[in-house]
Amino acid sequence: MQRDALPVLVVVVALLGAALAGAAVVTATNDDGTASGPADRTITVDATGEANAQPDQAVVRVAATAEGDNASAVRDSLAADADALREELAAAGVNESAYETTEYHIRERHRPPREGEREQPTYRGVHAFEVTLDDPDRAEDVIDAAADADAEVGTVQFTLSAETRDELREEAIEDAMGDARTQADAIAANGDLQVTNVATVDASQQRYRPVSYDGAAAVAERSAGADTQLDTGQVSVAYRVRVSYNATAAN
């Protein structure tokens, strides 16, 4: 006896937008993964949601450095330079509780200079600090303080506090879920189906994008006579979700 093959409908839809993108698959399946009747269908879609906000935190990485042919001399010079940096930070109104040491080392150079290179000091020391500010506008003060102490400025990041990041994450997921449902409804309507409820959700893919600057470039600008000015921009949090909806044949 010939059995009628049950159709499996697969639809792939690409939605392109300035901030959202998604794909969808519609299948008819049983719990064991085998083909099922037209009344039991699952619509699976991918969607991305994004939320943006002005940064409410800045992280500036600065470092005192020293070079010399004697490790002890480098250590002493490094300590003096780090103290000078602390004094400049204090003069700029930055409390010691706002920064911490992230790196300290004194290393010997083993590579001989290449042809045309000048002879390098035998030892180089670094004492690096990470300064966290609740007022992003004060990042410029830290850069100026580091420059006045002849310290190096690494990266400057405008970011979000944990509380604000959590709020944006919820907004991004809500945005993604809304787009996912819109996709699922559109696909169901075109396949003579009706979405009933959410079957599964995977919202594990997160993208967090703070605003970053090269601090050395800012110091170079300042040395050229220009005031230190940084545009904080906006920080974005994005979530990609994969949502499966149960669907039945439309009445």
Side-chain angles (χ1 to χ4, degrees), residues 192-209:
D192 293 327
L193 299 172
Q194 181 178 349
V195 173
T196 57
N197 62 291
V198 174
T200 61
V201 178
D202 178 2
S204 59
Q205 297 185 49
Q206 180 188 21
R207 186 180 73 249
Y208 176 62
R209 189 168 56 234

Side-chain angles (χ1 to χ4, degrees), residues 73-86:
V74 171
R75 180 195 61 203
D76 294 342
S77 179
L78 195 60
D81 291 346
D83 285 342
L85 177 56
R86 291 189 186 96

Side-chain angles (χ1 to χ4, degrees), residues 47-109:
T48 302
E50 186 171 328
N52 303 284
Q54 289 290 328
D56 60 3
Q57 198 173 78
V59 178
V60 186
R61 294 173 179 83
V62 296
T65 61
E67 294 181 327
D69 294 324
N70 181 287
S72 297
V74 171
R75 180 195 61 203
D76 294 342
S77 179
L78 195 60
D81 291 346
D83 285 342
L85 177 56
R86 291 189 186 96
E87 290 175 4
E88 291 294 341
L89 289 172
V94 179
N95 193 283
E96 287 189 7
S97 62
Y99 59 88
E100 61 181 358
T101 297
T102 56
E103 181 182 2
Y104 182 94
H105 69 256
I106 298 174
R107 292 174 181 162
E108 182 179 4
R109 289 190 174 104

Side-chain angles (χ1 to χ4, degrees), residues 203-228:
S204 59
Q205 297 185 49
Q206 180 188 21
R207 186 180 73 249
Y208 176 62
R209 189 168 56 234
V211 180
S212 298
Y213 289 94
D214 180 0
V219 173
E221 254 186 54
R222 182 180 184 274
S223 301
D227 293 335
T228 303

Side-chain angles (χ1 to χ4, degrees), residues 29-55:
T29 60
N30 286 319
D31 291 339
D32 61 1
T34 60
S36 179
D40 301 314
R41 282 183 161 78
T42 301
I43 300 175
T44 301
V45 297
D46 291 330
T48 302
E50 186 171 328
N52 303 284
Q54 289 290 328

